[in-house]
Amino acid sequence: MTSYLKKIILITLGASSLTYHAQNNHNLNILSDSKATKETINLYKNLIKNQEKGYFFGHQDDLAYGVKWRYEEGRSDIKDVTNDYPAVYGWDLGRIEHKKPNNLDGVPFNNMKKWIKEIYDRGGITTISWHMDNPLTLKDSWDTTPNSFKSILPNGSKHELYKSWLDKAAKFLGSLKGSDGKKIPILYRPFHELTGNWFWWCKNNANPQEFKEVWKFTINYLRETKKLHNLIIVYNTADFKSKEDFLEYYPGDDVVDMISFDKYQYNDPTKDNSFIADTQNQLKIMNEVSLEHHKPMAIAETGYEQIPYANWWTKTLTDAIGNYKISFVLVWRNHGWQENEKKMHYYAPYKGQISENDFIDYYNMPNTFFQKDATKLNLYK
Ligand code: BMA
């Protein structure tokens, strides 16, 4: 072949790859599931669109219990304080794998299902994590026995067991329907905090290739075999120091729709700025990934246990998020008194809690969206 001909071929190839990229750019932020339901696509688009104006506020187990109450219909600690519900409601599937009636924190799955319907009916958002028991030892999620993760690989000894657990979760996820008869879109956050070392699925228990293989298998199984097309897949890490760190276990744009990390406040924010500095640094890194991979981003779990600093909401959390465009932030559950640890365990204020007034100011900020905002924004249309 003459070098001239070669050049022509190269130019043509280059041009077609340029066209490909242009098309890709044109289709920015498309859900990874090409068969996603209309409501799921709409929610995803609306989450992205509204990022320009603000972010949705979430709370784990919000409707199930609060610091001083348990299972009172319609009640929520957030609502007691603001007269509004959060916009995002987090739930966990832990123990569904054993067909237990209640999840690992005692929340009955039947109630969870009913609440998820109510949430959807009023235009709120549901996100689901899964503190799945260890399939190798049958102990809990925090049991990091070596080789536990490898056992669920497609050729692993617990792969069939893992599939049977996915079947149970899929049945639940597929049964969630609104009053309009539509399947309810779910932000599904599997294998959360994967860069930690405390769950059996964390990175110390698997190499990147193994982790990615299981992730891909899981998402494809839920989509293709279980025919679930109401999922927005959320990739979620614990701490990370660099883009390489954040992406080392990233399974691919075709099996992820949103990227996120979990980050808690441990030190006294009046004496130590590290929560704000670290969160800002991680958001900076995640923002680069978000732009490069066209995936919106979130802080999927945060909080300061017992919120002992009265201005944590408008000062610390607000500064930690800064000007980054995130889809949502969620604070963890308001369990109340924890007998085994002899301490209070909660992350959202309740009536009379010292950060109550600050939380009302936070609620009133134009860029924090709660249920009433979400309802107005008509996220599923
Ligand atoms: C943890 C704590 C535990 C709980 C678990 C799963 O952070 O809140 O008490 O069992 O989350 O919800």
Side-chain angles (χ1 to χ4, degrees), residues 337-356:
W337 180 253
Q338 228 166 13
E339 187 51 35
N340 54 349
E341 302 197 28
K342 299 270 182 283
K343 68 167 164 68
M344 292 293 268
H345 183 56
Y346 64 86
Y347 297 89
Y350 55 90
K351 201 112 196 95
Q353 203 274 337
I354 64 157
S355 73
E356 181 184 1

Side-chain angles (χ1 to χ4, degrees), residues 31-38 40-41 223-224 227-230:
L31 267 178
S32 64
D33 179 3
S34 59
K35 296 190 193 134
T37 66
K38 210 169 98 234
T40 312
I41 296 171
R223 269 181 202 165
E224 306 309 328
K227 311 254 180 283
L228 292 180
H229 299 295
N230 56 332

Side-chain angles (χ1 to χ4, degrees), residues 104-105 131 142 332-333 338 345:
L104 79 164
D105 298 316
H131 282 80
W142 292 269
W332 206 240
R333 58 197 205 97
Q338 228 166 13
H345 183 56

Side-chain angles (χ1 to χ4, degrees), residues 201-326:
W201 58 81
C202 283
K203 66 188 250 186
N204 52 316
N205 245 347
N207 67 37
Q209 190 225 322
E210 290 161 344
F211 184 84
K212 291 177 197 182
E213 189 174 349
V214 166
W215 182 293
K216 284 182 190 158
F217 166 81
T218 304
I219 302 310
N220 289 328
Y221 186 76
L222 295 176
R223 269 181 202 165
E224 306 309 328
T225 310
K226 299 279 112 186
K227 311 254 180 283
L228 292 180
H229 299 295
N230 56 332
L231 305 181
I232 294 175
I233 310 296
V234 184
Y235 175 79
N236 177 252
T237 71
D239 279 347
F240 54 95
K241 296 264 175 273
S242 65
K243 211 200 279 188
E244 291 67 39
D245 214 7
F246 185 74
L247 288 175
E248 194 187 2
Y249 284 67
Y250 183 74
D253 289 346
D254 56 336
V255 280
V256 171
D257 299 305
M258 192 181 277
I259 54 178
S260 67
F261 61 78
D262 292 359
K263 178 98 194 144
Y264 285 85
Q265 168 97 53
Y266 295 105
N267 303 329
D268 178 351
T270 62
K271 299 197 180 101
D272 177 332
N273 193 46
S274 61
F275 172 78
I276 294 176
D278 293 351
T279 306
Q280 279 281 295
N281 188 41
Q282 291 190 174
L283 281 170
K284 180 170 183 283
I285 296 167
M286 192 163 71
N287 189 48
E288 281 174 31
V289 177
S290 169
L291 294 172
E292 283 166 18
H293 291 255
H294 309 304
K295 306 290 177 188
M297 58 184 195
I299 300 180
E301 281 182 39
T302 189
Y304 185 18
E305 194 179 51
Q306 300 177 21
I307 327 148
Y309 172 43
N311 294 327
W312 193 74
W313 305 100
T314 61
K315 295 277 181 293
T316 319
L317 181 61
T318 299
D319 285 358
I321 296 171
N323 292 323
Y324 287 103
K325 306 279 176 239
I326 61 171

